[in-house]
Amino acid sequence: MTPLDAPVRTAGTTEEAAPGALRLLARCRASVRPALAEAVGRLHPWVGEMAAYSFGWCEAGGAPAAGSGGKGVRQALAVLGAEAVGAPARAGVPAAVAVELVHAFSLLHDDVMDGDTTRRGRPAVWKAYGTGPAVLAGDAMFALAVETLAVQPPPAGPAAVRLLSGALGDLVRGQADDLLFAGRPWAGPGRVSPEAYRAMAEGKTGALLGCSAALGALLAGGPPAAVAALDRAGRRLGVAFQVVDDVLGIWGDPSVTGKAVHADLRERKKTFPVLAALAAPAPAAHRLAVLLDRGGDPAEAAALVEEAGGRAAALAEADRLVGAAEEALAEVPLAADAVRDLRSLVGFAVRREL
């Protein structure tokens, strides 16, 4: 298993680098799946089918499928959040169900907003069922997530709803900023700075990861200091995860990422490596800005990003954020085994085929 303090860029394949993390994810998915399936089963049958399709449990039309619906990092964080404050895994299951529903809802709506036609190698829900039905299914999953927390006994239940609501507000703000970034210039006073990117990524990706771990601890009766520390750790992990995703979006292996080489540059996304390169005091930064402004060759842009130090800056930023997540876990007393598992999960999440 890759230790948490190892450089991000030294990892091998996910399976080679983190077999323990993969087993951990499988354990958490197994503990959450029955409750998640029961919750989805309470939806309108047609809406429930779309939800099940989004999780990879069925094909369009309802025929069973063997998909897992992703690795389940957020639900694992919720389970580990409960274990971190000394509770059994089952104490974090309602939190895991809620965050998995919210994550699925956010992906479903993201695909509609971005016009992405595929998700995990299959047609996106809106492509398989239509835009209106997909939006309806996302709304239903969001409502189900809130209900899952609201029925928990007080004071934890109401506090959990407030925590989730705050994270969702941050997620919406991050998503809004991400959409607005597309219309901002590559250079000049209106450009997107790396600092603005960090704030966007913490909202768009980090808020729900932090909320996942914090909700598990909250529903398990953990002290406020532990809940807050787990939230901070998850938020820092989320930004690191997004930065690594940006690196893979430019230089990742298409057979692993499912994207064409230089995909994010072809789509003119303002990702961290590009923004860091543009902010660098290097001649290549100016050439990169000119090239991007005129919509030049993505391969040439990727070379200029690397020459200006954007790739190295992104990897260093991911390393820094991993260290910051570990610092948050060390701020309060937590169960040693759960902290070990959380560190394993942090390492797994940011060391993906770099």
Side-chain angles (χ1 to χ4, degrees):
M1 186 184 308
T2 306
L4 187 63
D5 58 354
V8 171
R9 51 201 163 275
T10 61
T13 66
T14 297
E15 288 76 13
E16 290 169 347
L22 292 173
R23 288 193 295 270
L24 169 64
L25 289 166
R27 171 175 75 83
C28 293
R29 284 197 307 270
S31 67
V32 174
R33 172 68 182 268
L36 183 58
E38 189 276 331
V40 170
R42 298 199 303 272
L43 295 172
H44 181 284
W46 185 45
V47 175
E49 179 189 313
M50 288 185 277
Y53 177 85
S54 74
F55 288 124
W57 301 344
C58 72
E59 305 294 348
S68 67
K71 291 184 170 63
V73 170
R74 289 155 190 83
Q75 59 183 286
L77 283 170
V79 170
L80 292 175
E83 294 180 341
V85 296
R90 64 179 179 274
V93 168
V97 170
V99 297
E100 196 65 13
L101 287 167
V102 167
H103 178 53
F105 135 75
S106 70
L107 293 181
L108 197 155
H109 282 196
D110 278 355
D111 288 342
V112 172
M113 287 186 288
D114 297 341
D116 290 338
T117 59
T118 60
R119 170 69 62 181
R120 298 184 182 123
R122 301 196 306 167
V125 176
W126 73 267
K127 196 68 176 174
Y129 290 89
T131 301
V135 171
L136 178 65
D139 292 345
M141 285 191 280
F142 168 67
L144 186 59
V146 174
E147 178 193 348
T148 299
L149 298 179
V151 299
Q152 300 304 309
V161 173
R162 289 193 297 272
L163 182 59
L164 179 65
S165 297
L168 285 170
D170 289 343
L171 188 154
V172 170
R173 282 187 287 273
Q175 183 73 3
D177 283 341
D178 192 34
L179 291 172
L180 288 170
F181 283 177
R184 290 171 62 176
W186 293 104
R191 70 179 179 85
V192 179
S193 67
E195 293 73 25
Y197 173 98
R198 291 186 188 97
M200 177 280 294
E202 181 175 334
K204 181 182 176 182
T205 305
L208 189 56
L209 286 173
C211 179
S212 299
L215 276 177
L218 177 62
L219 292 186
V227 173
L230 287 164
D231 189 18
R232 285 193 295 276
R235 284 172 177 266
R236 293 164 184 174
L237 167 62
V239 183
F241 185 95
Q242 189 63 59
V243 169
V244 169
D245 212 48
D246 289 350
V247 173
L248 293 173
I250 299 176
W251 296 284
D253 181 349
S255 67
V256 175
T257 65
K259 296 181 177 181
V261 66
H262 307 147
D264 283 356
L265 287 170
R266 294 178 194 280
E267 296 175 20
R268 300 177 58 76
K269 290 184 178 179
K270 291 182 173 69
T271 59
F272 190 89
V274 175
L275 298 176
L278 290 169
H286 175 70
R287 301 202 306 273
L288 175 63
V290 172
L291 181 69
L292 291 170
D293 195 50
R294 69 168 191 255
D297 176 46
E300 184 181 354
L304 287 171
V305 171
E306 189 149 17
E307 183 182 341
R311 183 175 185 172
L315 294 173
E317 178 72 1
D319 277 338
R320 183 187 70 79
L321 289 160
V322 165
E326 182 175 11
E327 288 172 5
L329 294 176
E331 289 172 2
V332 294
L334 297 170
D337 287 350
V339 170
R340 181 201 64 224
D341 287 342
L342 283 165
R343 287 173 170 167
S344 172
L345 197 58
V346 167
F348 166 83
V350 298
R351 293 174 174 89
R352 295 169 287 148
E353 299 295 338
L354 289 173

